[in-house]
Each structure stands twice: as C-alpha cells, then as structure tokens.
C-alpha cells in the first residue's frame, strides 16, 4: 500500500485550502450549545456552502450530488477542514457519516434519489434510533415494536440516547417486527420525525447542554415503503450502519485530536508552577510526545483501513481497533490536560489568560467517548472474535 499522496491529490488539497481561506471568514458566529434551532441552522448552512462549492460528499457518487472522488481525497478534505478550523459536522453527523452511506449500500433507488442529495445539501438532518433503555450493548434484544397494518408499520416503544433527535427530520430506526426471533426479528426503517405519535424528551448531559434525548413512540405510523432491506433483515443492515459509524465516522475527530495535542504542548509552555512552566517538567513532555507518537500510528492505521474500505466498499472490523484506541487515547489526553492545568481545570471559563475552558469541556465530554457507538468492552469483543478469531466468551 502506498501512503503517499499523488499529484492530483496534492492539487485537490491546494484548491480546498484556498477555498477554505476565503469561505471561513464569511461564517456567522457559532451558536450557543443549547440553542438547537440555531445549531441546526449553522451546521446545515455550512453543509450547503460545502455543497455549492463542490466539497460535499467527497467520495459519494456524482449522481447523488457528491464529488465522486476517492476516499483518500475524503481524508485530505478532513485534514484540511479540521486544520483550518472549519465547523464540525455537527447535526449532519448521522446523515453524512452512517445513515446516508447505509441507504447508498442497502436502500432502494427511490430512497437514494429522495434522501441522498438532500443530505448533501444540508436539507435533511437525521438521528439514530437504535439504543433502548434495555438494549444498548446487546442491541439485538431491542423491543420497540412495529406491527404491520396494510401499507404501514405501527410503532410503539422507546428509544434513548438519540443524538440530534430534537432537530432531526428523519430517524434511522430499528424496530422489532418478529418477537419470536432475536437477531432475525429486527427491521431498519426510515422514520420521519414529524410523524404523529412521536414524543421527544431531551436529556441534559454533564457538559451542560442536551446532546441527546429519549424518544417515545405511541402508535406512530410509518409507510412500509420506508423500510431499508427486507422485513426482519434489519440486523444485517444495522451492521452495515455500524461499519460506517465506527469505520469512517471518527476520522475528523482524529485530525482534531492531533491538533489538540499541539495545543496542549503550547498550553504547557504557558502554565507556570512556581518559577517554571509545565513544559519544563520532563514527565509532562514525555507524555505529550508519547501521545503524539500514538496518534501518528493511529493515523497510519486509519489510512490503511480506508484503503481497504475503498477496495471492499464497506469498512471492515479493523475499524473497532481505531475506535477503541482513539477513544481511550482521547481520555488520556484530556486527563493529562487537567494535570497540566492544575487549578485552572476547576472551571469551564478560561482562567489566567489561558485557553483552559475548551480542555475542561473536552475532559467532561470525553467520558462519553468509550460508550458512544459501542463501548470499549464491546469493541474488544469484536476485535477478539472477528479479527483475532478467538472463541466467543
Ligand atoms: C454521547 C453518546 C451519544 C449516543 N448517541 C446515540 C444515538 O444517537 N443513537 C443511539 O441509538 N444510541 C446512542 N448512544 C447510545 C450508545 O450506543 C450506548 O450507550 C452504548 O451502546 C452502550 O449501551 P448502554 O448504554 O445500554 O450500556 P449497557 O449495554 O447496559 O452496558 C453497560 C456496561 O456493561 C458493559 N457490557 C455490556 N455487555 C457486555 C459484554 N457482552 N461484554 C463486556 N462488557 C459488556 C458495557 O461495556 C458497559 O460498560 C449514545 C451514547 C453516547 C454516550
């Protein structure tokens, strides 16, 4: 495998960098974390700008409004947008990174035509209705029920931890269509969030904003035409969704983390302890250097996974290695930042002229990293069984 970039890829990088330098200063100020309508408008507005400039869906087919480029160019896009400080994917996360790719792989032609271009234009926001109070790691035990009534499914039950539910237009929803069967009794549906019979209750997180919600279904009717895959074949479709969510969904976070390590090194040079700075402490320097080396290795592994995904169309189980390693590395990074900051880590406000608030916020947020998109224990089970070929425990 060749990890170097071609001339065409270098040219793509140059053009994108120039466009970002012009586009980013025109953006409005970032909205407050709990102002969800404003967050939606900001994130989808940026998505529209990307689309109009030809930078939305870098590796999506042209017929759906994408650029039809390679995954390597997608990687360059993520590197450049993150390094330039472009807005995070935000509320477009589910649509762009795992629901859209799932519809592309498993949806009908009509579903592709209807949803994919709108996702790329920032006109459709999606959420993921998989987890339930009694079904997270053991997702196949989900019980949210869908009963067929003519051309519709009638849905009753509850989902939880549904990120972006309060601003989503659609939900990728897993429902139980056969109570007599576990994995083979699940169906994957496209559920419009304005369907009567859906109630959303926001959950406030330790970061202070409501990042996810509980979603209740009470006789909500969804057309059978909204089914992706066959009835009772939703577990297989969900595995496709997960392979995208865990496989390519974290790449922009990796680039962002790389930047945070440099920022932490800069911060350590400013934090003073008695007459020295934190950077003068050899143990701190060693830890930062070690994190950077680990990130470099992770980045090389990500490129390798992407090269494999490019060949097979769908990322493989190796993405679990990146997911578990990255999420735990991020927690170590933010823990180290708290030690560097010392007393300044006690407030979410910037203290003493230091950019400390963002590190404190990331430390709080990082708690969720080893849980979201499958816990570290579950990723280790996947690695053990599907990569190392160990027997099921
Ligand atoms: C920030 C965030 C955003 C999220 N967004 C969404 C979303 O948009 N949509 C959605 O559907 N879900 C979402 N989730 C939910 C997430 O997918 C689940 O929290 C996760 O899968 C774990 O499920 P659980 O919370 O039910 O924990 P449980 O499954 O109850 O697990 C509890 C503990 O037991 C361990 N455990 C369970 N089974 C095993 C096993 N077989 N072997 C070893 N250890 C085990 C787990 O690792 C964990 O430590 C989100 C979660 C977070 C934190």
């Amino acid at each position: 495998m060749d990890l170097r970039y071609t001339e065409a890829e270098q040219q793509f990088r140059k053009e994108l960098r120039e466009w970002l330098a012009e586009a980013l200063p025109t953006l409005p100020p970032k909205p407050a974390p709990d102002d969800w309508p404003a967050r939606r408008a900001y994130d989808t507005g940026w998505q529209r700008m990307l689309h109009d400039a030809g930078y939305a869906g870098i590796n999506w087919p042209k017929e759906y409004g994408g650029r039809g480029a390679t995954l390597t160019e997608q990687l360059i896009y993520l590197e450049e947008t993150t390094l330039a400080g472009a807005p995070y994917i935000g509320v477009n996360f589910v649509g762009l990174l795992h629901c859209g790719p799932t519809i592309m792989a498993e949806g009908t032609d009509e579903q592709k035509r209807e949803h994919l271009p709108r996702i790329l234009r920032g006109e459709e926001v999606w959420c993921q209705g998989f987890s339930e109070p009694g079904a997270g790691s053991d997702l196949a035990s989900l019980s949210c029920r869908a009963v067929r009534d003519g051309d519709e499914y009638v849905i009753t039950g509850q989902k939880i931890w549904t990120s972006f539910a309060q601003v989503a237009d659609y939900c990728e929803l897993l429902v139980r269509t056969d109570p007599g069967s576990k994995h083979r009794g699940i169906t994957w549906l496209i559920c419009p969030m304005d369907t009567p019979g859906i109630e959303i209750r926001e959950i406030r997180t330790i970061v202070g904003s409501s990042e996810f919600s509980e979603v209740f279904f009470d006789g909500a009717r969804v057309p059978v035409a909204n089914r992706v895959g066959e009835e009772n074949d939703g577990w297989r479709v969900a595995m496709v969704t997960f392979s995208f969510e865990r496989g390519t969904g974290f790449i922009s976070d990796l680039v962002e983390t790389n930047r945070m390590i440099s920022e932490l090194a800069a911060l350590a040079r400013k934090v003073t302890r008695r007459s020295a700075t934190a950077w003068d402490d050899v143990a701190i320097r060693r830890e930062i250097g070690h994190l950077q080396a680990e990130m470099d290795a992770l980045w090389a592994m990500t490129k390798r996974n992407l090269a494999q995904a490019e060949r097979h169309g769908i990322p493989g189980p190796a993405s679990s290695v990146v997911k578990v390693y990255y999420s735990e590395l991020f927690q170590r990074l933010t823990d180290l930042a708290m030690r560097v900051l010392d007393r300044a880590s006690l407030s979410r406000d910037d203290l003493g002229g230091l950019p400390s608030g963002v590190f404190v916020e990331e430390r709080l947020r990082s708690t969720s990293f080893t849980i979201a998109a499958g816990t570290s224990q579950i990723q280790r089970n996947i690695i053990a069984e599907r990569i190392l070929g160990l027997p099921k425990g």
Side-chain angles (χ1 to χ4, degrees):
M1 183 195 42
D2 191 349
L3 292 176
R4 288 166 305 184
Y5 296 111
T6 65
E7 220 166 275
E9 286 161 354
Q10 309 267 33
Q11 180 62 21
F12 170 70
R13 185 189 292 280
K14 182 173 168 285
E15 282 168 21
L16 173 59
R17 199 173 281 180
E18 284 166 6
W19 179 77
L20 285 167
E22 276 179 27
L24 291 178
T26 68
L27 283 174
K30 260 183 133 173
D34 236 3
D35 187 347
W36 279 96
R39 276 177 74 169
R40 178 186 160 126
Y42 184 85
D43 294 346
T44 54
W46 170 240
Q47 182 59 28
R48 184 62 194 233
M49 280 171 73
L50 288 169
H51 175 270
D52 292 350
Y55 291 118
I58 302 290
N59 64 322
W60 285 30
K62 285 187 177 161
E63 62 179 308
Y64 304 124
R67 199 178 168 99
T70 61
L71 270 168
T72 308
E73 279 164 291
Q74 167 81 350
L75 206 69
I76 293 171
Y77 162 85
L78 289 165
E79 278 178 351
E80 290 301 320
T81 47
T82 311
L83 290 173
Y88 183 62
I89 194 165
V91 304
N92 302 302
F93 187 97
V94 176
L96 285 170
L97 297 186
H98 51 90
C99 169
T102 304
I103 291 179
M104 217 179 301
E106 300 289 335
T108 62
D109 287 343
E110 204 180 331
Q111 288 164 348
K112 291 179 198 174
R113 271 196 305 274
E114 184 180 346
H115 295 290
L116 299 180
R118 289 174 56 80
I119 290 172
L120 282 191
R121 286 199 299 266
E123 291 168 2
E124 265 184 22
V125 170
W126 284 70
C127 62
Q128 181 188 50
F130 281 18
S131 306
E132 297 180 7
S137 302
D138 185 15
L139 186 62
S141 64
L142 64 88
S143 63
C144 183
R145 186 84 167 95
V147 177
R148 182 111 179 222
D149 181 20
D151 290 342
E152 292 175 323
Y153 287 109
V154 184
I155 303 167
T156 306
Q158 185 195 341
K159 295 290 170 178
I160 194 167
W161 317 124
T162 318
S163 310
F164 317 121
Q166 63 274 63
V167 287
D169 304 300
Y170 291 93
C171 178
E172 50 176 18
L173 184 66
L174 287 186
V175 287
R176 165 85 37 217
T177 33
D178 180 1
S181 182
K182 194 175 177 183
H183 294 80
R184 297 210 49 79
I186 292 169
T187 300
W188 203 108
L189 294 179
I190 297 171
C191 176
M193 288 299 280
D194 59 358
T195 306
I198 297 181
E199 189 195 337
I200 298 165
R201 289 186 210 155
E202 294 182 21
I203 301 171
R204 185 166 290 275
T205 69
I206 49 169
V207 180
S209 56
S210 304
E211 297 298 321
F212 34 48
S213 302
E214 293 178 286
V215 182
F216 297 87
F217 297 83
D218 184 9
R221 288 178 168 267
V222 171
V224 170
N226 284 19
R227 194 179 66 211
V228 174
E230 295 301 315
E231 187 169 295
N232 295 327
D233 193 27
W235 183 251
R236 189 189 58 77
V237 183
M239 291 307 107
V240 173
T241 309
F242 277 143
S243 69
F244 287 112
E245 183 178 5
R246 293 166 185 166
T248 38
F250 284 98
I251 295 174
S252 55
D253 299 79
L254 289 183
V255 185
E256 182 67 36
T257 302
N258 224 357
R259 193 173 65 171
M260 269 184 76
I261 294 174
S262 306
E263 285 171 3
L264 179 60
L267 182 72
R269 289 185 173 91
K270 287 188 192 145
V271 176
T272 48
R273 303 160 161 193
R274 298 192 187 158
S275 57
T277 67
W279 187 252
D280 292 320
D281 182 338
V282 67
I284 296 273
R285 288 207 306 275
R286 189 181 298 130
E287 275 190 74
I288 294 176
H290 209 280
L291 283 169
Q292 185 61 64
E294 289 178 80
M295 268 308 295
D296 290 350
L298 210 47
W299 190 237
M301 183 181 260
T302 299
K303 283 185 179 174
R304 178 175 167 271
N305 288 351
L306 272 181
Q308 281 174 350
E310 209 158 9
R311 277 199 297 279
H312 305 299
I314 296 174
S319 48
S320 283
V321 178
V322 175
K323 199 287 180 181
V324 74
Y325 204 99
Y326 162 67
S327 50
E328 294 180 4
L329 182 147
F330 192 82
Q331 289 180 344
R332 281 189 282 127
L333 166 66
T334 55
D335 274 344
L336 175 60
M338 297 306 95
R339 278 185 281 128
V340 168
L341 283 171
D342 199 47
R343 283 165 301 164
S345 70
L346 296 175
S347 170
R348 279 171 54 194
D349 294 333
D350 288 347
L351 291 183
L354 297 169
S356 54
V358 64
F359 283 100
V360 176
E361 185 150 342
E362 289 301 323
R363 171 64 193 85
L364 293 173
R365 210 168 64 87
S366 73
T367 308
S368 71
F369 278 37
T370 46
I371 302 172
T375 66
S376 284
Q377 289 88 343
I378 294 304
Q379 305 304 328
R380 286 190 165 87
N381 286 351
I382 293 171
I383 294 164
E385 287 164 20
R386 292 203 231 148
I387 300 178
L388 302 176
L390 298 176
K392 267 181 181 263

